[in-house]
Amino acid sequence: MRHPRPLLRRLMLFAAGLLAACAAPAATGLPTPLPSLTPSPEIQAAVEATLTALVPTTTPRPETATPSPVPTETPIVVTLPPLAGQRIAPPLEMTLPDGWQTVGYDVLILSDVIALDDVGSIRGIPLAVYQGPVTGGTGTIVLLWGFPNIVNPFPEGGTPAAPDLWADGVRLLRLAVLEQGCNIGTDERRTYRIGLRSAVGAQFSAVSCPELPDTRGWFAGVQEGGLNFIFYAYVEGAALVDPQRLEAFNAAGQQMQAILETVRFNLPEAAPDAP
């Protein structure tokens, strides 16, 4: 499975540029998280219908009175495009500074971890990419949203664990964001801020990649209206990824964190129950 950084370049050719790395200091003085909106069945159904449409299905053959011998067939290999070409805008607003742009929206096709009741390992995850200049280089924000949480259905004690966006963030970082073959490192769990919400995440780095430059960044995940959102922020530039020049990265990271703090979700609230 090809990772999205080259795919983002393809997406960029459709609209504009992209790529990069590095971590930001943990946010302090976070406001008290606002309560989540009531989960919206309409939004959930719309996203699930889009993702389900991407999963290959087979039509069962009609039964016959006399069963025919099952021939030995050569397995059919189906190659899915890494990007589905379905441009779904995320249900949020984010203020971009001068020089930044929305590179584009798409649905990323990947082979994901599956639950026991899932129909298959092929999954589509909506993708949004934003990019622009930061001091010393270029910053990129990749948003993955509308994906299911992966939890252990048979934990010790018999009670399934609660969804953990930190674990999902690490999983999708390795599965969908960074190039396969990189030496990837993640830091301890940290608290960040997405809009007015407290978010969980961690810093990450990827070095010695087969094709792409070393990269560092951080991710922050939050759930709103019953949907999961994880923002991956990273920068590109020699000074910004130099471990001896942390002040350069910190300055760029603060600029990108300021963008993430402008996020405002606009999922519709559920209608009150009828009497």
Side-chain angles (χ1 to χ4, degrees), residues 71-180:
T72 302
E73 298 181 356
T74 302
I76 300 176
V77 178
V78 178
T79 301
L80 295 177
L83 294 177
Q86 297 191 14
R87 289 164 177 80
I88 307 173
L92 56 80
E93 297 177 357
M94 183 167 63
T95 301
L96 299 178
D98 291 342
W100 276 70
Q101 62 180 329
T102 300
V103 176
Y105 311 126
D106 215 309
V107 174
L108 181 65
I109 307 299
L110 50 82
S111 180
D112 195 6
V113 178
I114 61 173
L116 293 181
D117 60 350
D118 208 344
V119 297
S121 61
I122 303 300
R123 190 181 303 286
I125 298 181
L127 164 79
V129 181
Y130 312 88
Q131 188 185 57
V134 293
T135 300
T138 300
T140 302
I141 296 174
V142 174
L143 167 62
L144 300 180
W145 64 280
F147 55 87
N149 299 105
I150 301 299
V151 297
N152 180 7
F154 300 110
E156 295 183 7
T159 301
D164 185 351
L165 283 175
W166 176 85
D168 288 313
V170 173
R171 172 176 60 90
L172 293 174
L173 172 71
R174 296 175 176 273
L175 180 66
V177 176
L178 296 179
E179 180 182 8
Q180 299 297 314

Side-chain angles (χ1 to χ4, degrees), residues 14 51 93-94 176 184 194 217 237:
F14 182 83
L51 303 187
E93 297 177 357
M94 183 167 63
I184 300 172
I194 298 296

Side-chain angles (χ1 to χ4, degrees), residues 34-40 43 91 165 197 222-229 265-267:
L34 297 179
S36 299
L37 299 175
T38 303
S40 169
I43 292 295
L165 283 175
R197 299 291 310 279
V222 65
Q223 188 174 85
E224 183 71 26
L227 292 180
N228 295 316
F229 299 82
F265 297 97
N266 55 17
L267 284 80

Side-chain angles (χ1 to χ4, degrees), residues 62-70:
E63 296 184 358
T64 59
T66 303
S68 302
V70 179

